Amino acid sequence: MNPEVVGRTYGPFEAYEVTRIKIREFADAVDARSGAHFYPEIARAEGYSDVVAPTTFAVLIAQGAEFHVVTDPEVGVDFSKVVHAEERFTHHRPLVAGDVVQSAVTIESITQRAGISMVTTRAEITDVDGAPVSTVLSTLAVRDDS
């Protein structure tokens, strides 16, 4: 792992369109059963403009951005030695069907202990006007077998 890449930012990347289908598929995958994830009329009755994504839906967008970190040869991540360690979300507003968002990711830190490198990234998800939607902090543990 190359600690000199700390602070490096990738993106913003191509816009991501949040759709009802993607929200429903994700809700099914994580067993989120609120009707607001599936039915526009229920979501609207709860105060949303359309079907609302489960709170962890932002991980799909964040991981798309994080892909650029783990595939950058200068960072030095061997993905075959990666274990996901932690994910934290700060939501500035809910993601709803019809949103178009962008993401950028920054390498926050790389720490090394006992043959493990911990790589923490911060993905900032914004709407197309640049207003914050979600911040996702992700930490990967990368085993150093060399």
Side-chain angles (χ1 to χ4, degrees):
M1 299 293 308
N2 179 4
E4 293 179 15
V5 297
V6 171
R8 183 176 290 181
T9 297
Y10 303 77
F13 300 105
E14 181 178 347
Y16 180 96
E17 183 178 354
V18 179
T19 67
R20 288 178 182 170
I21 290 171
K22 289 176 186 172
I23 290 172
R24 289 173 181 145
E25 289 173 345
F26 187 86
D28 274 336
V30 300
D31 201 27
R33 292 289 147 223
S34 169
H37 302 317
F38 298 92
Y39 305 103
E41 60 278 5
I42 294 174
R44 287 186 187 106
E46 292 184 14
Y48 302 104
S49 62
D50 207 319
V51 173
V52 64
T55 56
T56 54
F57 183 88
V59 75
L60 293 177
I61 303 160
Q63 285 182 344
E66 292 162 4
F67 173 79
H68 297 276
V69 173
V70 298
T71 59
D72 182 345
E74 287 186 51
V75 178
V77 173
D78 179 347
F79 202 69
S80 70
K81 298 177 183 178
V82 168
V83 175
H84 192 256
E86 182 179 13
E87 199 89 44
R88 288 184 287 160
F89 301 89
T90 302
H91 297 295
H92 308 288
R93 69 163 180 81
L95 283 160
V96 296
D99 279 342
V100 178
V101 296
Q102 292 182 300
S103 60
V105 64
T106 300
I107 301 171
E108 290 286 297
S109 66
I110 297 175
T111 57
Q112 297 165 328
R113 283 179 250 135
I116 303 285
S117 293
M118 303 296 282
V119 181
T120 300
T121 60
R122 178 180 37 86
E124 295 291 351
I125 301 169
T126 62
D127 67 20
V128 291
D129 295 323
V133 176
S134 293
T135 302
V136 181
L137 287 174
S138 178
T139 302
L140 301 176
V142 184
R143 195 176 66 246
D144 179 15
D145 291 338
S146 52

